[in-house]
Amino acid sequence: MSLFPTTLPPAEAIPLRGGPVLRWGVLAPGRIAGGFVWALHQHTDQRVHAVASRAPERASRFAAAYGIPRVHESYEQLVADPQVDIVYVASPHSEHKRQALLAIAAGKHVLVEKPLALSASEARDIARAAHAAGVFAMEALWSRFLPQTLLIEQLLREGVLGDVQLVMADFGGRFDFDPEGRVFNPALGGGALLDIGIYPIWFAHFALGAPPRVHATGSLTQTGVDAQAALVLSYATGAQALLHTTVLAETPQEAVIAGTHARLQLDSRFFAPSGFTLKAARSDQRLRWTDTSGIHGSEGLAYQAAAVARHIAEGHTESPLHPLERSIAVLETIDAARGQLGASGRDGGSAR
């Protein structure tokens, strides 16, 4: 019988300053890109040197807002810029593969916003191209690099929770319906699963690995993309993951990992800097961990930028923490769920 720990180990954190520095270029400056650049400039030594947009005036406004010295009139010009080491792709999902391949073909490292692509098939194309070119490529799954995630990984590795039997996670938000917008437009990779559902699905993969069986139920919007989905992921060990995502209502946005020795419950917005409670099984013993870094919300994007710089300096072409194989496996789960729901969209491959 495992003894419940008296204290939690100190949380490791990826150093945000003092390490290798990359010169970043940003493709498709929008809200997500703005949050990334702000966090990067505010909390790390990394710097954005160039930006490009299909609308040059938009790129100019973005550059002025974030102190970026170079504005390019096309994506092709940016990826050819010798002052850029790595390209951050922040476009709608439908453009991820094309823009990632553009950067890779120019010999640039690439960080692609989640999801890596519209489907596992497209993600494999990106991985093959990056491997062939010998450049670094990663999906920007920022939650993987937060201090809380590194600590949870340690607890799982040391068997503090025992055998994990159940993972539960949800992420729902209320989005105003816009048939032409990114969330609801099939041509842009719309739908809950690809947009915010990737967080609970990734979390289940993080805790339990890729599932051999996926069962999904849910509903579609009038544009044919998935409005909400409930997933059961089943594993050979008997473990399960119960996941939910929706664009119709705000949900608690919490997550739980339940094992034979203890249960770990993450606070709301489990995918952002927050905290968790570890409770012993069949006992009132519990331990509390809270992120005291002062980094809140999307400021946590800083950790992945610093991690990428260190990975590249160490000679990696993939992240040891979030390899391309994990991104592909998560998209395989999403492919399966979207296929079972009958969701429409340009997915670059068939759902299984």
Side-chain angles (χ1 to χ4, degrees):
M1 180 176 178
S2 175
L3 294 176
F4 191 73
T6 55
T7 60
L8 289 171
E12 297 180 1
I14 295 164
L16 296 178
R17 298 192 182 276
V21 175
L22 294 174
R23 299 171 297 180
W24 294 74
V26 172
L27 292 187
R31 181 182 59 82
I32 293 173
F36 176 77
V37 174
W38 189 90
L40 185 149
H41 286 175
Q42 184 76 12
H43 295 293
T44 81
D45 297 328
Q46 310 299 312
R47 286 297 176 266
V48 177
H49 281 253
V51 61
S53 172
R54 288 179 298 183
E57 65 278 6
R58 186 180 188 191
S60 295
R61 290 195 301 269
F62 191 88
Y66 295 102
I68 300 170
R70 299 162 74 89
V71 177
H72 290 291
E73 296 182 355
S74 70
Y75 298 148
E76 289 77 12
Q77 286 182 5
L78 184 141
V79 300
D81 187 342
Q83 298 301 312
V84 170
D85 301 315
I86 182 169
V87 173
Y88 172 62
V89 175
S91 54
H93 315 330
S94 55
E95 299 301 306
H96 285 184
K97 176 184 171 181
R98 184 179 71 83
Q99 293 182 1
L101 294 181
L102 180 70
I104 290 167
K108 302 298 187 186
H109 305 300
V110 65
L111 176 66
V112 184
E113 256 310 324
K114 52 161 192 34
L116 181 62
L118 288 177
S119 67
S121 175
E122 284 196 354
R124 291 188 194 98
D125 290 340
I126 294 172
R128 281 192 290 265
H131 292 160
V135 299
F136 180 90
M138 192 185 89
E139 175 189 39
L141 206 299
W142 62 297
S143 309
R144 179 63 181 91
F145 302 90
L146 299 176
Q148 69 202 39
T149 308
L150 301 183
L151 179 53
I152 293 169
E153 180 183 37
Q154 181 179 346
L155 296 175
L156 290 170
R157 185 173 59 247
E158 294 176 354
V160 172
L161 278 73
D163 297 326
V164 176
Q165 300 298 314
L166 179 66
V167 171
M168 298 188 294
D170 77 278
F171 188 177
R174 175 76 169 86
F175 291 79
D176 293 331
F177 181 71
D178 176 4
E180 301 301 320
R182 177 181 56 82
V183 174
F184 295 95
N185 188 339
L188 298 180
L193 285 162
L194 284 169
D195 193 77
I196 56 178
I198 191 170
Y199 284 111
I201 293 170
W202 159 77
F203 188 73
H205 280 243
F206 164 72
L208 287 169
R213 294 184 301 280
V214 178
H215 176 73
T217 185
S219 62
L220 304 179
T221 70
Q222 62 194 70
T223 56
V225 302
D226 48 289
Q228 59 184 15
L231 279 65
V232 179
L233 312 186
S234 300
Y235 295 81
T237 61
Q240 291 184 315
L242 308 181
L243 315 172
H244 187 264
T245 186
T246 179
V247 295
L248 304 179
E250 185 174 323
T251 67
Q253 302 176 15
E254 297 172 344
V256 174
I257 305 175
T260 52
H261 296 155
R263 181 182 80 237
L264 188 150
Q265 182 155 352
L266 281 94
D267 299 344
S268 181
R269 294 182 63 81
F270 71 90
F271 48 86
S274 56
F276 63 80
T277 299
L278 182 70
K279 181 187 178 299
R282 296 185 293 184
S283 167
D284 290 332
Q285 290 178 285
R286 62 188 67 211
L287 294 170
R288 176 70 189 167
W289 183 86
T290 302
D291 191 321
T292 58
S293 66
I295 292 178
H296 304 289
S298 62
E299 296 175 22
L301 293 164
Y303 288 109
Q304 72 176 354
V308 166
R310 290 177 180 274
H311 292 333
I312 292 173
E314 292 166 358
H316 296 292
T317 55
E318 296 187 33
S319 168
L321 297 180
H322 189 61
L324 294 172
E325 181 181 57
R326 173 60 55 83
S327 300
I328 292 168
V330 168
L331 278 166
E332 286 177 339
T333 297
I334 293 176
D335 285 348
R338 292 179 71 218
Q340 291 173 32
L341 295 177
S344 61
R346 202 202 83 212
D347 60 14
S350 59
R352 65 182 183 181

